Amino acid sequence: MSIEIFDIAERLKSLHKSSDPFELAECLGLRVRFHDLGYTKGLYFITRRCRFIFVNENICEELQRIVVAHEIGHDRLHRELAKLGQLSEFSLYDMTSTPEREANIFASNILLNDNDVEELARLQYTSQQIAMELCVPEEMLIIKMIDMNERGYRFRIPYIPRADFLGR
C-alpha cells in the first residue's frame, strides 16, 4: 500500500503543479476552515456531500500545513470511512491505526521530496538536521524515510516514531 500512497501523492502534486497542502486542498474542492479545536489539531469531515478540513487556529503555520496534508490523505484514501462516520478524533494521528498511518505516509510524501531527503542524507545530515532543514517534525521525516526504504532506498532509521507523535 505504501507504494500506492506514494503514487497517489506524486500524481496529485504533478497534476496540480504544487506540493502546498492549502493549494492542493483548494484544487480538490476541499473547504479548509480554521477554528479553536482545543487539543485536536485537525479533522476531516463530510456533510451533505461537502468535504471539509477543520484546522486548529491555535497551532503554528508549519503544523497547519502538516495537518492539511494529513487530512487530504484521508480525503484521497479514506473518504468512504469518513462518509460512514468511521474516522474519529479518538484515533487521530495514531500510527497504530491503519487509516492514520496511511494519512501520515501520504502527508510525508506531499510535504517531502525524495530527492531533498536523499541529498541531505548523502551530505551526512542527521535525521534531526534534515527535519529542521525541511521544516517538519523529525517523526514525519522518519515516516518518509521508512516509506522510501520500502521503495528501495537504504536509510538507517534512528527510531520508530511514537504512535501518537502528531497528536501530542
Side-chain angles (χ1 to χ4, degrees):
M1 181 63 169
S2 180
I3 293 172
E4 292 171 33
I5 295 170
F6 171 78
D7 289 341
I8 292 167
E10 288 299 306
R11 271 183 271 146
L12 185 64
K13 291 190 302 186
S14 177
L15 177 66
H16 298 291
K17 297 177 179 37
S18 178
S19 61
D20 181 279
F22 291 98
E23 288 180 24
L24 293 173
E26 185 177 338
C27 291
L28 294 168
L30 289 159
R31 299 170 184 179
V32 178
R33 302 290 187 262
F34 295 88
H35 295 284
D36 183 346
L37 301 176
Y39 294 110
T40 301
K41 291 184 177 55
L43 295 168
Y44 173 67
F45 185 74
I46 300 174
T47 184
R48 297 183 187 156
R49 296 170 43 173
C50 294
R51 298 169 1 253
F52 291 91
I53 294 175
F54 292 99
V55 180
N56 191 327
E57 65 189 6
N58 299 314
I59 59 177
C60 68
E61 278 185 44
E62 289 173 354
L63 191 51
Q64 288 176 351
R65 291 182 75 245
I66 293 168
V67 168
V68 172
H70 175 95
E71 301 304 342
I72 292 171
H74 283 310
D75 180 70
R76 300 286 86 190
L77 304 170
H78 311 120
R79 192 178 302 174
E80 291 306 312
L81 289 177
K83 285 179 184 176
L84 298 172
Q86 294 180 1
L87 285 178
S88 75
E89 64 183 83
F90 298 111
S91 65
L92 195 64
Y93 310 122
D94 177 358
M95 288 292 287
T96 62
S97 158
T98 297
E100 294 306 318
R101 184 176 46 76
E102 290 174 350
N104 284 336
I105 293 168
F106 181 89
S108 75
N109 281 301
I110 290 294
L111 297 168
L112 300 168
N113 180 291
D114 284 7
N115 294 334
D116 294 339
V117 173
E118 183 180 31
E119 178 62 25
L120 293 170
R122 190 176 305 129
L123 293 172
Q124 298 189 350
Y125 280 43
T126 66
S127 59
Q128 187 176 30
Q129 291 169 325
I130 296 170
M132 287 177 60
E133 183 75 22
L134 300 177
C135 301
V136 296
E138 187 176 14
E139 293 89 350
M140 179 65 64
L141 171 69
I142 291 171
I143 289 168
K144 173 70 173 179
M145 293 169 83
I146 291 168
D147 177 66
M148 290 174 71
N149 280 353
E150 290 180 13
R151 292 184 282 113
Y153 289 83
R154 300 275 184 248
F155 294 112
R156 273 190 276 157
I157 306 301
Y159 64 91
I160 301 300
R162 283 182 44 162
D164 64 345
F165 84 92
L166 203 48
R168 289 185 276 134

